[in-house]
């Protein structure tokens, strides 16, 4: 496989790269159907990261088993390169999970899949499966619902969903289900994750994003917990917060999907019926 050049892609973020190293472990976070049709040669399907993961023991064991499979494959690799349709939320979730598990040299491909050279692509073959574990991995950078509950007044809680989700008019932005509970975690501040992208779908500069985060009243010195509907958008945002010098950044992976199923307090709570 040849190394791909930037071809005009402006990166500016330490977690993004336009190059594909020969000895990198490649993880495709698109759906399994898209992977089967075409992927970067040598890539594994990491489509399991698209599943929702809560704070419960079964969910964390499944996530830990998935990560263990990746850790084993990465033992003889120089780096891990993750991609989806293009610098999106599932690549971000996979990267944040691996980083939280202590893995090093984890990068996200800073290019859209549709822009890749066809000579570097081929049908996907190998799908990553979960290992069975007796105890979960200690994910540093991911917090359970109990931590959020007990620290609501001590942290900067940021909801990175759309304004419609934050205000409780939609339960989720994509494929909302009738009868779903809308709302937000009390005390959270909204910053729409879509603001980080320009019209071409590239992540904007660190200077621009950092300026907007501060303009939104988000304080770099305060401990910050990010959430959305299922933790994917929040995971991508966590990288940006860190590189904009926010000092203590964590993700509530269960997010609103998990919170809404409890009796914990919620703001703008209602049942959505179109």
């Amino acid at each position: 496989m040849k190394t791909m050049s930037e071809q005009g892609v402006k990166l500016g973020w330490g977690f993004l790269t336009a190059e594909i190293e020969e000895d990198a472990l490649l993880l495709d976070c698109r759906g399994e159907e898209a992977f089967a049709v075409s992927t970067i040669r040598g890539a594994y399907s990491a489509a399991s990261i698209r599943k929702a993961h809560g704070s419960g023991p079964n969910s964390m064991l499944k996530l830990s088993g998935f990560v263990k499979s990746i850790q084993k494959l990465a033992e003889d690799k120089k780096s891990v390169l993750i991609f989806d349709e293009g610098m999106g939320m599932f690549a971000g979730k996979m990267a944040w999970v691996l980083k939280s598990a202590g893995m090093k040299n984890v990068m996200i491909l800073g290019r859209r899949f549709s822009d890749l050279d066809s000579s570097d692509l081929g049908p996907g073959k190998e799908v990553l499966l979960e290992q069975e574990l007796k105890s979960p991995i200690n994910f540093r950078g991911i917090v359970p619902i109990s931590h959020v509950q007990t620290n609501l007044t001590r942290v900067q809680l940021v909801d990175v969903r759309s304004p419609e989700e934050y205000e409780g008019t939609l339960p989720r932005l994509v494929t909302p289900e009738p009868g779903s509970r809308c709302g937000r975690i009390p005390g959270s501040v909204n910053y729409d994750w879509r603001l980080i992208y320009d019209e071409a779908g590239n992540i904007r500069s660190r200077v621009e994003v950092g300026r907007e985060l501060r303009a939104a009243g988000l304080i770099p010195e305060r401990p910050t917990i990010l959430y959305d509907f299922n933790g994917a958008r929040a995971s991508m945002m966590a990288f940006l917060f860190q590189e904009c010098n926010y000092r203590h950044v964590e993700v509530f992976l269960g997010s609103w999907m998990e919170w809404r199923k409890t009796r914990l307090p919620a703001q703008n709570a209602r049942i959505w019926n179109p």
Side-chain angles (χ1 to χ4, degrees):
M1 180 186 303
K2 64 183 180 182
T3 298
M4 297 185 179
S5 64
E6 293 190 10
Q7 296 182 352
V9 177
K10 295 181 180 179
L11 301 179
W13 296 93
F15 64 92
L16 293 177
T17 180
E19 297 185 349
I20 302 177
E21 295 183 346
E22 293 285 350
D23 56 352
L25 173 63
L26 304 173
L27 301 179
D28 187 340
C29 296
R30 299 173 304 143
E32 286 190 24
E33 290 185 4
F35 170 80
V37 173
S38 178
T39 189
I40 300 174
R41 296 186 191 279
Y44 291 82
S45 172
S48 289
I49 199 63
R50 302 172 74 90
K51 299 177 182 177
H53 295 91
S55 302
N58 289 336
S59 185
M60 294 310 296
L61 275 175
K62 289 181 179 179
L63 182 61
S64 297
F66 184 49
V67 170
K68 280 291 184 183
S69 298
I70 296 172
Q71 288 176 327
K72 185 175 181 180
L73 288 171
E75 288 177 354
D76 60 347
K77 299 292 184 179
K78 183 178 179 181
S79 62
V80 179
L81 183 60
I82 303 168
F83 63 95
D84 54 18
E85 289 79 4
M87 295 166 281
M89 59 185 179
F90 292 113
K93 181 182 178 183
M94 185 78 264
W96 188 260
V97 166
L98 295 183
K99 180 181 177 181
S100 296
M103 294 187 67
K104 308 295 183 183
N105 299 322
V106 176
M107 303 290 290
I108 294 173
L109 183 62
R111 305 180 65 195
R112 289 183 295 275
F113 185 84
S114 59
D115 292 336
L116 299 181
D117 192 323
S118 61
S119 64
D120 289 312
L121 306 179
K125 297 179 180 179
E126 298 190 64
V127 177
L128 287 176
L129 301 176
E130 300 169 347
Q131 293 185 11
E132 291 188 10
L133 300 179
K134 294 182 179 179
S135 59
I137 291 172
N138 179 24
F139 292 100
R140 297 182 179 181
I142 295 174
V143 296
I145 192 171
S146 58
H147 179 85
V148 180
Q149 179 186 2
T150 56
N151 288 278
L152 279 179
T153 60
R154 301 186 183 97
V155 301
Q156 186 168 235
L157 186 61
V158 185
D159 184 329
V160 302
R161 297 177 298 168
S162 67
E164 294 85 355
E165 294 168 281
Y166 179 75
E167 295 297 339
T169 58
L170 278 178
R172 62 184 303 178
L173 188 61
V174 180
T175 61
E177 299 176 351
S180 296
R181 190 184 185 203
C182 303
R184 64 176 180 263
I185 301 175
S188 58
V189 177
N190 185 223
Y191 183 85
D192 187 348
W193 93 300
R194 294 173 298 182
L195 296 174
I196 70 174
Y197 296 96
D198 62 20
E199 293 182 356
N202 297 313
I203 294 179
R204 296 163 61 202
S205 75
R206 181 164 52 183
V207 172
E208 290 179 302
V209 174
R211 184 188 301 123
E212 289 189 357
L213 293 178
R214 287 163 177 77
L218 300 172
I219 303 169
E221 293 76 19
R222 289 199 66 186
T224 301
I225 297 177
L226 306 172
Y227 81 95
D228 51 59
F229 181 78
N230 60 8
R233 289 172 280 181
S235 295
M236 174 58 89
M237 285 297 299
F239 284 105
L240 277 74
F241 269 73
Q242 276 196 336
E243 294 201 17
C244 287
N245 298 318
Y246 283 74
R247 296 182 181 175
H248 188 75
V249 181
E250 297 174 311
V251 172
F252 171 32
L253 208 59
S255 289
W256 178 249
M257 177 207 68
E258 184 176 12
W259 191 275
R260 66 177 181 165
K261 297 178 182 178
T262 70
R263 295 184 179 180
L264 294 170
Q267 290 180 309
N268 287 24
R270 69 191 72 178
I271 301 300
W272 185 71
N273 285 302

